[in-house]
Amino acid sequence: MAEDSDRATRLEAMYTDMAAHSLEGLWRMERKGPDVRPYLWQWDTVLRAVTAAGEFVDIPYPGERRAVALVNPGIPGALGSTHAIYTAIQLVRPGEVARAHRHMPNALRFMIEGAGVSTTVEGERVPMYAGDLVLTPNMLWHEHRNDSDADAVWLDGLDSPLVFGLAAAVYEPFEDGFLTETRPEDHSGRSYGLGTVRPIGYEAPAKGSPLLVYRWTAVEPAIQRMAEDGADTEFDGVSIEYVNPGNGGHTLSTMSCWMTMLRPGEHTKAHRHTYSSVYHVHRGKGSTIIDGQRFEWAERDSFVVPPWTWHEHVNASDSDIAYLFSINDIPTLEAFNLNREEPLTENGGHQQATSVFDPENPN
Ligand code: GTQ
């Protein structure tokens, strides 16, 4: 008896001593990753928030942005839509300039609405139109301007949660007014936009992709040709990756972007993988079943497929194509040999949807 209580006292003393010196027994540690939840943001709700921000919030100076982040409710402190990918809707009002800055996170924009709007990246002005993808590879100065008389809104995508996690998030505001244009407008697109030829002697602005913009007017017919020729994936409809035409690699060093076409009535099979994706509905109406829960989406909604969750997509229309733009962290996982994928084998590869996500009552 006395021996038992002596043992209990010494055990407690062991844990107290450990705790006092920042030590912990592995057998007591909870080992799990961030709680990345599936989630969906309806466009009406996001636009309401962004429009109100346009009324109340000037673009903070210097270097900041009027962006409303889509924050995963499972990891509220991480300021990401997933543990690896941040997305936000940014508003630039007529006549405004979001002044230049540069940072370690890679950034990209998927243009939603506006014309007469541009991002200047390292002295090259890139005009942006709906459906275009514009890149800001890391540590390049970038500045946004709206020279039109209508609001411009786009989806921002950054790898900032990953870069913050690696404590490598260097950030610098540009203190010297506006960027000066040192290259012709759209120079990278004019030089690299064809994808199959590259200019000899071209100097890319930095280590990242030499191409800063992918035009929807070129991407849409390309996907349509592939679909006509019978292109298909089991799990992702007809999908293309936006490639780096300099080396044939992924869109950016940490993130890759895809456009997925779901043909009228298409219902893909379910799979799961270690990469996470943030989707933005470019066109159409449908749903994605994630771990048995149905997420119904329409144009301009955004939603999250967390790592290692079963998911399958459905185009709800029998007459119209749906287009889903997405950002994933495949390049990061591949770099560390962490990519893994599994098909669902039961039930013909389809899940049973047992609940429907309610955007008005999401949590
Ligand atoms: O436009 O450069 O939503 O640096 C967050 C960080 C946008 C941008 C964001 C950024 C930007």
Side-chain angles (χ1 to χ4, degrees), residues 220 222-241 258-263 266 268 321-324:
E220 184 181 25
I223 305 181
Q224 287 183 344
R225 287 192 298 271
M226 294 176 205
E228 276 166 27
D229 289 359
D232 196 17
T233 67
E234 256 187 301
F235 308 111
D236 298 292
V238 180
S239 281
I240 57 100
E241 179 181 25
W258 291 18
M259 182 62 75
T260 293
M261 173 206 274
L262 299 173
R263 288 157 292 197
E266 181 158 4
T268 68
I321 288 169
Y323 282 112
L324 303 177

Side-chain angles (χ1 to χ4, degrees), residues 65 67 86 88 90 101 103 109 142 144 156 158:
R65 304 296 188 241
Y86 157 105
Q90 181 167 167
H101 64 195
H103 40 67
R109 347 249 151 229
H142 52 286
H144 313 299
D156 286 318
L158 283 86

Side-chain angles (χ1 to χ4, degrees), residues 126-187:
V126 183
M128 299 156 78
Y129 304 95
D132 291 349
L133 172 64
V134 176
L135 306 184
T136 316
N138 64 358
M139 290 315 281
L140 300 187
W141 295 110
H142 52 286
E143 165 186 293
H144 313 299
R145 39 178 83 229
N146 182 350
D147 295 319
S148 79
D149 53 16
D151 285 350
V153 282
W154 60 74
L155 177 80
D156 286 318
L158 283 86
D159 56 11
S160 43
L162 173 75
V163 179
F164 278 110
L166 296 171
V170 174
Y171 172 89
E172 289 174 23
F174 188 72
E175 307 278 11
D176 202 16
F178 302 107
L179 295 180
T180 42
E181 289 173 50
T182 55
R183 294 169 173 238
E185 180 172 300
D186 214 10
H187 183 53

